[in-house]
Amino acid sequence: MSWVEALFRPARVAVYGSTAEGKIGHVLIDQLLAGGFREIVAVNPKSHGIAGVPAVRSLAELPTDRSPIDLVVIASPAATVADVLDDAGQAGAKAAIVITAGFSEAGDAAAERQILEVARKWDLRVVGPNCAGIVNTRHALFPTLETRPPAGDVAFVSQSGALGGAVLSWAEEQGVGFSKFASYGNGADLTEIDFLGALRDDEESKVVCLYLETVSDGRAFLHAAADLAAKKPLIVIKSGRSESGSRATLSHTGSMAGTDAVYDAALRQCGAIRAAGIEEMFDLCRAFVSLPPMTGRRIAIVTNSGGPGVLAADRTESVGLDVARPSAALRERLRKRLPAFSAFENPFDLTVQGDGAAYRDVLTEVLAEYDGALAINVNVPYLDSAPLAAGVVEAARMTDKPIAASFMAGAPAAAARPVLQDGGVPNFATGERAVRVLSLLAERECVRERLARSPKGIGSDVATGSKPLPWDRDPLEPEAMAWLDRLGLPVIEHRWVRDAEAAAAALRSFDRPIAMKVVSPSILHKSDRGGVLLRLSSERETASAFRRLRVIANGIGFDGVLVAPMIDDAIELIVGLSTDPQFGPVIAVGLGGIFTETMRDLALRVAPVSKPEAHAMIDELRGRAILDGVRGRPPCDVDALANVVSRVSHLPFEFADIRELDLNPVFCHERGCAIADVRLLRKDAAGNEQEEAHR
Amino acid sequence: MSWVEALFRPARVAVYGSTAEGKIGHVLIDQLLAGGFREIVAVNPKSHGIAGVPAVRSLAELPTDRSPIDLVVIASPAATVADVLDDAGQAGAKAAIVITAGFSEAGDAAAERQILEVARKWDLRVVGPNCAGIVNTRHALFPTLETRPPAGDVAFVSQSGALGGAVLSWAEEQGVGFSKFASYGNGADLTEIDFLGALRDDEESKVVCLYLETVSDGRAFLHAAADLAAKKPLIVIKSGRSESGSRATLSHTGSMAGTDAVYDAALRQCGAIRAAGIEEMFDLCRAFVSLPPMTGRRIAIVTNSGGPGVLAADRTESVGLDVARPSAALRERLRKRLPAFSAFENPFDLTVQGDGAAYRDVLTEVLAEYDGALAINVNVPYLDSAPLAAGVVEAARMTDKPIAASFMAGAPAAAARPVLQDGGVPNFATGERAVRVLSLLAERECVRERLARSPKGIGSDVATGSKPLPWDRDPLEPEAMAWLDRLGLPVIEHRWVRDAEAAAAALRSFDRPIAMKVVSPSILHKSDRGGVLLRLSSERETASAFRRLRVIANGIGFDGVLVAPMIDDAIELIVGLSTDPQFGPVIAVGLGGIFTETMRDLALRVAPVSKPEAHAMIDELRGRAILDGVRGRPPCDVDALANVVSRVSHLPFEFADIRELDLNPVFCHERGCAIADVRLLRKDAAGNEQEEAHR
């Protein structure tokens, strides 16, 4: 029997812990019974059963002629949990839920390791400790302290027990039913990754929701999540957006590591839909369990009132839906079907005279031309809203495109709600919320197609690189440039000079103004130290520049000067590689120059990325249009840039020990691009960090 | 008797229109009676009364010994409305509500003008036509087709009748009560401006909400809104965000006119709080009617569960609140009061063991140090949530700082909700929503202080300028530059040359590379036409450049070339003045260069702006940090820039006929700034527009 079967479909369940009034063991047995599950045994030192549930001191006492104990639920004191698990394992249990707290979350990691050892001994899988239990509504199984939710098609996995409980409590009111629920607490054994794997193949769960504070293993999570998302919608609430990390500036891409932006990129890459909070999660669940796919982004809004229609239309732009105008043919067809007072533009205003047939007919007509529709109704208290809802439901039955509803509000819309719910048309408190959900329905189709094209998910089969870097310390900039050049990456033409005469020679050979940069192992941010001098065009200037640069590195290691021609007519970008503590190598590309820091216009991915994916990153930039050539500039060679991004993103999978690689700027020309500044940090080299810290 | 008194506190009301079953007149009388208002007369050709309400064919038939008819409500056919109004005016009515539709909104503006003429004749003020009526809960007055809302302290004015109705229907469920409601429909006579004036002094309305699609008079609206907002919170929902205008690029600031961005700026200037939609409006109402002011932005989150606490904290950053860490002293005080298992960081986690006293004590302690607090509770179904809510209410009574609550969710929190409501603690569905509302509470205090400092509101006393512009056509760029220079604005050093020799002489006199721009009345976007040539540094180059520029303007008017020195070390900004159809002159400042178009980083105000306000605009820019000097650059002279912005914003109030003035770029130096490119369009000059249209 698999742990999934034992946990969610046990034949019999044992509950460890005191069954005295008010004790957790008591609450658990009450919940199990109230939920309709009868095959329960209580296990406690006093052998004290309640409500007809038999009790033993140990499972060893149990007669063996009955069905086996597949699952045990443990609410006994923390100090007893290891022994109790041993008892359960001996009796053949294959899954355990440890409600009891007081382990790693309270600083006692040793006790948690001990639990794990016992579990491994008996090949018994553990949920928790410090968790809120699980639910399987299809098995009438509620070993949890939380509200028993209505049955439905949504599975929900929560790292936080309390937040999980809030969701279950709210479900009835929100009109969302659950198939399964699991709170995995400290995740000593089973984690979100195991549950994603189990729920992928769970026929009873059409949609999977996950509340996450941290992932246990970034790459394994991405793999499991992408695997699930290829089959069904995965909705994730990830908290911790505002952690200190996200406040870091982007002066170098290394500071992206560990921030919410990396989680955000990772979640998008694995095809998860990130919900802003619990309310949006419920909105999404209602839509995904009942609506057909939305295969495009053109949306028709059919309303009986201007104001709410406009408010909904207002929202479409920010979520990337298109309230496109109808074709002349469609307008003509609508004109024939509807009275003259109706509006034939999008939003389509049926006016207060729109009845059920009008909703049905207009929705049916517009869906011949649009990818989805929103039916808004503002009812007046003296009219019955049910027939209007029935018209919407009829239209939904006649189409294979999604129709969402927003029947507003309070008492006048009460009669409509059950009609919509029974008819499988999700209803939203406002049209704006419906629009947001429809946009994510459309997004889901893009995700599904993307995952179908590359089924293996992100980075599931990439190992860390094995080649050594050619230095046993962080390289000097000219060394790193030469190395990138050997790897075939486009590096700007440059000279590494040791005296002013060589600098002057470089100026002559380039035959245009030059830039000079100090080379020193102790100086990371050259600009901030005055270590970059630009637009030097005479021998007098280069000589003076050389002197200044030597002074800057005086006493901290002066390794000459890097000379390169001035580039004034290219767009500057930044390409950066960093190492995230959760997800490993992360690649970023953004607009460069002084705007990087202030505009934060970066696209991020967990590395590696293919060239098409690199193109997708570039297309995400808010300032993307700059690359197409504005104000008479020629367009940039975006393909060459995408090459650099993709190639750089693969480097950590080829070479060991790259912690951070910053290319800033990369000049993007009409043809080709050129890396003009390189900073490479090794994983094991901490020396430079000190300089950093003292700045 | 004022129209406000007649409309909201009439002694007697007449209802014009058929009282047959299902007719609007019938519904109106039903509503008035059900609301508790008895002094009603029905007026209709059949003299048909219902439910004991007397009826006449005309008010002239009415005996004069009873109290006067102050208010008439009209639901008779559109063609009869003017006559009916005449009847009402003759009988001494001072206010009329015209529910009847079919006027300007249906294309019949003449009929609407006729109504207005009759109303003026009798000095009778009109609400509507095509409106949903009004409400005064304190007078038990409900002449409306919409749901009768619960009584409370919020006034609501709606341009859309249906949206107004949806709000009234939802009020009970949202826990918001209304003092007054008015739907002004087409606004033939009374508009939002009149209602803002009336509600400013209405003691029964603590908070005023407004749903707006367009304003009837931009400057008058700003004046009335600022006047009201100085006294009480004004919450505005403005729809139409996504109108085509907001899609326009910002290649010149003229395209800002008429867009949602102008409304957004105007609403902020007059101190209105813009709500994203109806749900947020309700959230804000609940907070503003019961909470004391929040005088800073430091917020403490007290929770009994980690997850929801973190989700709420996540939201603080984007809304500008600070979940600051507690002082050591506060941590020490909390340590004494609370058990060891509690967290003493912000969010403050009481854990599931937090009881009512813990909520009370911790909230009281933290509010000694923070500006406001959020109390989150996730209840488990087997514990009573009411005592926990009582603890929060006790804390709220002991402080003069705001406490919001988020008691979650569904049935387990049901017992807490009435305790919170009776205790004046607003409760929100999620902590995230509470955080958003608290941020606007803090914002409201800033607004109140700002309006108290400059009580006259924006532009209330500025007349349009009277001086003529020195040209009877759009000026050439060098002409506009000379004019700005005479006005004392900092214009870049430049030469207007007519031949290549003069260009070469200019190069020599500047002694550095130069920029050359074509001068032609037919070329507005010089860069797009190749009419700007940069970094010319030899006589050969300037000669060739002159030839190229002459070719560009060949046959469409070549007026020479503008020569200026190249500026490479300054930050480029854009300063623009445009004329909005609603609000008149609008001033914008933003980061310039190729980033203007793609980043859309502009700050906008309705003009004119003082110098401190110009500084505030500059501080709003996302890229503000660039002006402080990044990567070794010196900081810009922001004060000089603010001078230009403020000075330019006053020009339309000095000179007539400025339609659009674009300064792009304005170079901002370490000391001073310089306008390097000018485009001025006159209001009456349409010639250049054609060139524009043909591009």
Side-chain angles (χ1 to χ4, degrees):
Chain A
M1 179 180 241
S2 72
W3 68 264
V4 180
E5 277 288 297
L7 183 63
F8 287 112
R9 296 194 166 277
R12 250 168 123 198
V13 174
V15 177
Y16 286 89
S18 167
T19 53
E21 185 71 34
K23 292 290 185 179
I24 304 291
H26 189 111
V27 176
L28 284 167
I29 291 174
D30 272 357
Q31 284 270 59
L32 283 165
L33 291 171
F37 195 85
R38 296 277 171 271
E39 293 296 305
I40 314 170
V41 178
V43 194
N44 54 64
K46 293 183 184 156
S47 183
H48 179 249
I50 51 165
V53 168
V56 291
R57 269 179 299 268
S58 153
L59 286 187
E61 294 175 9
L62 218 58
T64 51
D65 56 343
R66 288 280 299 281
S67 53
I69 303 284
D70 300 317
L71 170 66
V72 299
V73 187
I74 301 174
S76 63
T80 70
V81 171
D83 288 345
V84 154
L85 263 185
D86 203 49
D87 185 55
Q90 201 152 11
K94 288 296 157 213
I97 299 168
V98 184
I99 306 284
T100 310
F103 293 87
S104 63
E105 91 285 359
D108 196 349
E112 197 159 306
R113 275 195 302 275
Q114 206 191 341
I115 290 184
L116 206 54
E117 277 164 29
V118 177
R120 296 246 158 91
K121 182 171 95 184
W122 297 109
D123 192 22
L124 180 153
R125 303 301 301 267
V126 175
V127 182
N130 184 32
C131 78
I134 67 125
V135 165
N136 181 2
T137 55
R138 305 292 163 89
H139 199 60
L141 183 73
F142 298 91
T144 178
L145 306 177
E146 308 296 341
T147 304
R148 296 188 306 281
D153 300 321
V154 177
F156 179 44
V157 178
S158 181
Q159 189 166 6
S160 156
L163 192 128
V167 167
L168 298 188
S169 297
W170 211 354
E172 182 85 51
E173 191 179 319
Q174 291 277 347
V176 170
F178 288 96
S179 53
K180 295 184 172 59
F181 164 71
S183 150
Y184 58 91
N186 297 357
D189 178 17
L190 293 169
T191 69
E192 81 283 2
I193 294 168
D194 301 289
F195 287 107
L196 291 179
L199 292 169
R200 183 196 54 192
D201 300 321
D202 182 29
E203 301 287 334
E204 293 164 353
S205 302
K206 281 194 201 171
V207 176
V208 176
C209 296
L210 175 62
Y211 170 77
L212 210 57
E213 287 168 359
T214 50
V215 294
S216 46
D217 174 337
R219 294 271 162 173
F221 170 79
L222 286 180
H223 189 54
D227 235 31
L228 187 148
K231 286 191 74 169
K232 54 186 83 169
L234 172 61
I235 301 164
V236 176
I237 302 178
K238 164 71 180 74
S239 71
R241 265 185 209 275
S242 59
E243 277 171 293
S244 59
S246 64
R247 287 175 192 158
T249 62
L250 307 185
S251 62
H252 51 107
T253 50
S255 62
M256 295 303 303
T259 66
D260 186 71
V262 175
Y263 266 103
D264 208 60
L267 289 172
R268 271 183 289 121
Q269 273 176 279
C270 70
I273 296 162
R274 188 167 183 178
I278 302 176
E279 285 187 299
E280 186 168 289
M281 187 194 93
F282 277 121
D283 281 354
L284 286 167
C285 287
R286 281 206 306 283
F288 279 117
V289 295
S290 56
L291 292 183
M294 180 148 161
T295 55
R297 295 191 162 270
R298 289 163 53 98
I299 180 188
I301 298 175
V302 178
T303 180
N304 75 336
S305 155
V310 177
L311 282 175
D314 279 354
R315 191 71 202 279
T316 56
E317 198 171 328
S318 68
V319 300
L321 290 183
D322 184 6
V323 207
R325 302 182 73 179
S327 68
L330 174 56
R331 263 207 302 279
E332 206 41 53
R333 284 200 301 280
L334 291 177
R335 206 179 300 276
K336 280 183 198 151
R337 288 196 171 227
L338 288 177
F341 53 75
S342 295
F344 305 107
E345 286 293 336
N346 196 2
F348 301 91
D349 190 349
L350 306 179
T351 79
V352 69
Q353 307 199 29
D355 58 9
Y359 272 103
R360 181 197 60 212
D361 294 349
V362 173
L363 282 167
T364 307
E365 282 292 3
V366 296
L367 280 175
E369 180 158 322
Y370 289 86
D371 304 308
L374 165 61
I376 295 177
N377 181 268
V378 178
N379 205 42
V380 279
Y382 55 92
L383 287 180
D384 183 6
S385 61
L388 307 176
V392 176
V393 167
E394 271 188 78
R397 292 214 174 102
M398 293 159 71
T399 177
D400 56 357
K401 293 178 177 174
I403 301 180
S406 180
F407 271 56
M408 303 165 77
R417 282 186 212 112
V419 176
L420 294 167
Q421 177 142 16
D422 295 348
V425 175
N427 186 43
F428 299 92
T430 64
E432 298 94 289
R433 277 165 72 168
V435 162
R436 163 83 177 150
V437 166
L438 287 174
S439 78
L440 290 170
L441 204 68
E443 182 61 28
R444 165 69 194 154
E445 268 317 282
C446 302
V447 162
R448 212 184 44 70
E449 281 167 24
R450 173 165 63 80
L451 293 176
R453 280 197 307 273
S454 48
K456 281 200 281 184
I458 172 68
S460 55
D461 56 352
V462 284
T464 302
S466 57
K467 294 189 207 167
L469 288 171
W471 325 275
D472 54 5
R473 51 165 173 76
D474 289 340
L476 295 171
E477 184 176 6
E479 295 173 334
M481 279 184 150
W483 177 69
L484 289 176
D485 187 48
R486 285 198 301 276
L487 293 173
L489 281 152
V491 174
I492 197 168
E493 191 183 1
H494 62 280
R495 306 277 186 278
W496 186 6
V497 302
R498 303 290 179 156
D499 52 44
E501 290 68 37
L507 170 67
R508 283 191 300 275
S509 76
F510 292 135
D511 193 25
R512 57 187 300 182
I514 58 170
M516 291 172 63
K517 299 189 286 183
V518 68
V519 178
S520 164
S522 309
I523 298 177
L524 278 183
H525 290 280
K526 298 180 289 288
S527 296
D528 295 348
R529 296 287 202 92
V532 180
L533 300 173
L534 302 175
R535 285 183 235 300
L536 310 165
S537 52
S538 70
E539 201 157 322
R540 191 172 49 86
E541 287 177 339
T542 56
S544 146
F546 195 92
R547 276 194 304 278
R548 278 174 62 191
L549 295 176
R550 185 161 50 197
V551 167
I552 286 168
N554 205 4
I556 54 171
F558 175 69
D559 279 302
V561 165
L562 194 71
V563 180
M566 276 306 299
I567 307 289
D568 275 323
D569 55 351
I571 299 290
E572 291 184 37
L573 290 113
I574 175 169
V575 175
L577 191 70
S578 59
T579 308
D580 183 83
Q582 299 293 346
F583 295 99
V586 168
I587 180 83
V589 61
L591 286 168
I594 54 173
F595 290 89
T596 306
E597 292 168 57
T598 50
M599 292 301 189
R600 303 191 174 196
D601 190 13
L602 279 176
L604 268 189
R605 292 287 189 284
V606 176
V609 295
S610 64
K611 207 172 131 187
E613 188 70 12
H615 270 286
M617 291 174 73
I618 296 164
D619 289 344
E620 261 169 35
L621 297 175
R622 267 184 289 139
R624 173 66 177 85
I626 292 172
L627 303 177
D628 289 330
V630 287
R631 305 227 158 179
R633 280 173 183 271
C636 291
D637 189 343
V638 172
D639 204 56
L641 178 64
N643 247 334
V644 170
V645 171
S646 173
R647 184 81 180 86
V648 168
S649 79
H650 282 87
L651 290 180
F653 303 95
E654 196 171 333
F655 296 91
D657 301 328
I658 301 178
R659 178 157 59 91
E660 204 175 312
L661 176 61
D662 263 309
L663 313 181
N664 179 14
V666 176
F667 290 119
C668 207
H669 299 280
E670 193 174 357
R671 298 194 62 170
C673 55
I675 298 163
D677 194 294
V678 179
R679 192 178 56 142
L680 190 152
L681 302 182
R682 290 174 56 98
K683 274 188 183 147
D684 50 2
N688 287 358
E689 291 306 276
Q690 308 212 328
E691 190 258 356
E692 216 46 359
H694 284 114
R695 279 179 51 224
Chain B
M1 182 181 240
S2 72
W3 68 264
V4 180
E5 277 288 298
L7 182 63
F8 286 113
R9 297 195 165 275
R12 251 168 125 197
V13 174
V15 177
Y16 286 88
S18 166
T19 52
E21 186 71 36
K23 292 290 185 180
I24 303 291
H26 189 111
V27 176
L28 284 167
I29 290 173
D30 272 356
Q31 283 271 60
L32 282 165
L33 290 172
F37 196 85
R38 294 280 170 270
E39 294 296 306
I40 315 171
V41 178
V43 194
N44 53 65
K46 294 184 183 154
S47 182
H48 180 247
I50 52 166
V53 168
V56 291
R57 270 180 298 268
S58 152
L59 286 186
E61 294 175 9
L62 218 57
T64 52
D65 56 342
R66 288 279 301 280
S67 52
I69 303 282
D70 300 316
L71 170 66
V72 298
V73 186
I74 301 174
S76 62
T80 70
V81 171
D83 288 345
V84 154
L85 263 186
D86 203 47
D87 185 55
Q90 200 152 12
K94 288 294 156 216
I97 299 168
V98 183
I99 305 285
T100 310
F103 293 88
S104 63
E105 91 284 1
D108 196 351
E112 198 160 306
R113 273 195 304 274
Q114 204 192 343
I115 290 184
L116 206 54
E117 277 164 28
V118 176
R120 295 248 160 89
K121 181 171 95 183
W122 297 109
D123 192 21
L124 179 151
R125 302 304 300 269
V126 175
V127 182
N130 183 31
C131 78
I134 68 125
V135 165
N136 180 3
T137 55
R138 304 292 163 89
H139 199 59
L141 182 73
F142 298 92
T144 178
L145 305 178
E146 308 296 341
T147 304
R148 296 188 305 281
D153 300 321
V154 177
F156 179 43
V157 178
S158 181
Q159 189 165 7
S160 156
L163 193 129
V167 167
L168 298 188
S169 296
W170 211 354
E172 182 85 50
E173 192 180 318
Q174 291 277 348
V176 170
F178 287 96
S179 53
K180 294 183 173 59
F181 164 72
S183 151
Y184 60 90
N186 296 358
D189 178 18
L190 293 168
T191 68
E192 80 283 1
I193 295 168
D194 301 288
F195 287 107
L196 290 179
L199 291 168
R200 182 195 56 192
D201 300 321
D202 181 29
E203 300 287 334
E204 292 164 354
S205 302
K206 281 193 199 172
V207 176
V208 176
C209 295
L210 174 62
Y211 170 77
L212 210 56
E213 287 167 0
T214 50
V215 294
S216 46
D217 173 337
R219 295 270 162 173
F221 169 80
L222 286 180
H223 189 54
D227 235 30
L228 187 148
K231 285 191 76 171
K232 55 185 82 169
L234 171 61
I235 300 164
V236 176
I237 303 178
K238 165 70 181 74
S239 71
R241 265 185 209 277
S242 60
E243 276 171 292
S244 60
S246 64
R247 287 177 192 155
T249 62
L250 307 185
S251 62
H252 51 106
T253 49
S255 62
M256 295 303 305
T259 65
D260 186 72
V262 176
Y263 266 104
D264 208 61
L267 289 172
R268 271 183 289 120
Q269 273 175 279
C270 70
I273 296 162
R274 188 167 183 179
I278 302 177
E279 284 188 298
E280 187 166 291
M281 186 195 95
F282 277 122
D283 280 355
L284 287 167
C285 287
R286 282 206 306 283
F288 278 117
V289 295
S290 56
L291 292 183
M294 181 148 159
T295 54
R297 295 192 161 268
R298 290 163 53 98
I299 180 188
I301 299 176
V302 178
T303 180
N304 74 336
S305 156
V310 178
L311 283 175
D314 279 354
R315 191 73 204 278
T316 56
E317 199 170 327
S318 67
V319 301
L321 290 183
D322 183 5
V323 206
R325 301 182 72 180
S327 68
L330 174 55
R331 265 208 301 280
E332 205 44 51
R333 285 200 301 278
L334 292 176
R335 205 179 302 275
K336 281 182 196 151
R337 288 196 172 224
L338 288 176
F341 52 76
S342 296
F344 305 108
E345 285 293 336
N346 196 2
F348 301 92
D349 190 349
L350 306 180
T351 78
V352 69
Q353 308 198 30
D355 58 8
Y359 272 103
R360 182 197 60 213
D361 293 349
V362 173
L363 283 167
T364 308
E365 282 291 2
V366 297
L367 281 174
E369 180 158 324
Y370 289 86
D371 304 308
L374 165 61
I376 295 177
N377 181 267
V378 179
N379 206 43
V380 279
Y382 54 90
L383 287 179
D384 183 5
S385 61
L388 306 176
V392 176
V393 168
E394 272 187 77
R397 293 216 173 104
M398 292 160 73
T399 179
D400 56 358
K401 293 178 177 174
I403 300 179
S406 179
F407 272 55
M408 302 164 77
R417 281 186 212 113
V419 176
L420 293 168
Q421 178 141 15
D422 295 349
V425 176
N427 187 42
F428 299 91
T430 65
E432 298 93 291
R433 277 166 70 167
V435 161
R436 164 81 177 150
V437 166
L438 286 173
S439 78
L440 291 170
L441 204 67
E443 182 61 28
R444 165 69 194 154
E445 269 318 283
C446 302
V447 163
R448 211 184 44 71
E449 281 167 25
R450 173 165 63 79
L451 294 175
R453 280 196 308 273
S454 48
K456 280 200 281 184
I458 172 68
S460 55
D461 54 354
V462 283
T464 303
S466 57
K467 294 189 205 167
L469 288 171
W471 324 275
D472 54 5
R473 50 165 174 79
D474 289 341
L476 296 170
E477 185 176 6
E479 294 173 334
M481 279 184 151
W483 177 69
L484 289 175
D485 188 48
R486 285 198 301 276
L487 293 173
L489 280 154
V491 174
I492 197 169
E493 191 182 2
H494 62 279
R495 307 275 188 277
W496 186 8
V497 301
R498 302 289 179 156
D499 53 46
E501 291 66 37
L507 171 68
R508 283 192 300 275
S509 77
F510 291 135
D511 193 24
R512 57 187 301 180
I514 57 170
M516 291 172 62
K517 299 188 286 184
V518 68
V519 178
S520 164
S522 309
I523 298 177
L524 277 183
H525 290 280
K526 297 179 291 287
S527 296
D528 294 349
R529 295 288 201 93
V532 180
L533 300 172
L534 302 175
R535 286 189 212 9
L536 310 166
S537 53
S538 70
E539 200 156 324
R540 190 172 48 84
E541 286 177 340
T542 55
S544 145
F546 195 91
R547 277 194 305 276
R548 279 175 61 192
L549 295 176
R550 187 161 45 198
V551 167
I552 286 169
N554 205 5
I556 56 171
F558 174 69
D559 278 303
V561 166
L562 194 70
V563 181
M566 277 305 297
I567 306 289
D568 275 323
D569 54 352
I571 299 291
E572 290 183 36
L573 290 112
I574 174 169
V575 176
L577 191 70
S578 59
T579 309
D580 183 84
Q582 298 294 345
F583 294 100
V586 169
I587 180 83
V589 61
L591 285 168
I594 54 173
F595 290 89
T596 307
E597 292 168 55
T598 51
M599 292 302 189
R600 304 192 173 195
D601 190 14
L602 278 176
L604 269 189
R605 292 287 189 285
V606 175
V609 294
S610 64
K611 206 172 133 187
E613 189 70 11
H615 270 286
M617 291 174 72
I618 296 164
D619 290 344
E620 261 169 35
L621 296 175
R622 269 183 288 139
R624 172 67 177 84
I626 291 173
L627 303 177
D628 290 331
V630 287
R631 305 229 159 178
R633 279 173 183 271
C636 292
D637 190 342
V638 172
D639 204 57
L641 177 65
N643 248 333
V644 170
V645 171
S646 172
R647 184 81 179 87
V648 167
S649 80
H650 282 87
L651 290 180
F653 303 94
E654 196 171 334
F655 294 91
D657 301 326
I658 301 178
R659 177 157 60 91
E660 205 175 311
L661 176 60
D662 263 309
L663 313 181
N664 180 15
V666 176
F667 289 119
C668 206
H669 299 281
E670 192 173 357
R671 296 194 64 171
C673 55
I675 297 163
D677 194 294
V678 179
R679 191 177 57 142
L680 190 152
L681 302 182
R682 290 175 56 101
K683 273 186 185 149
D684 51 1
N688 287 358
E689 290 307 275
Q690 308 213 330
E691 191 258 356
E692 211 52 354
H694 284 114
R695 279 180 51 227

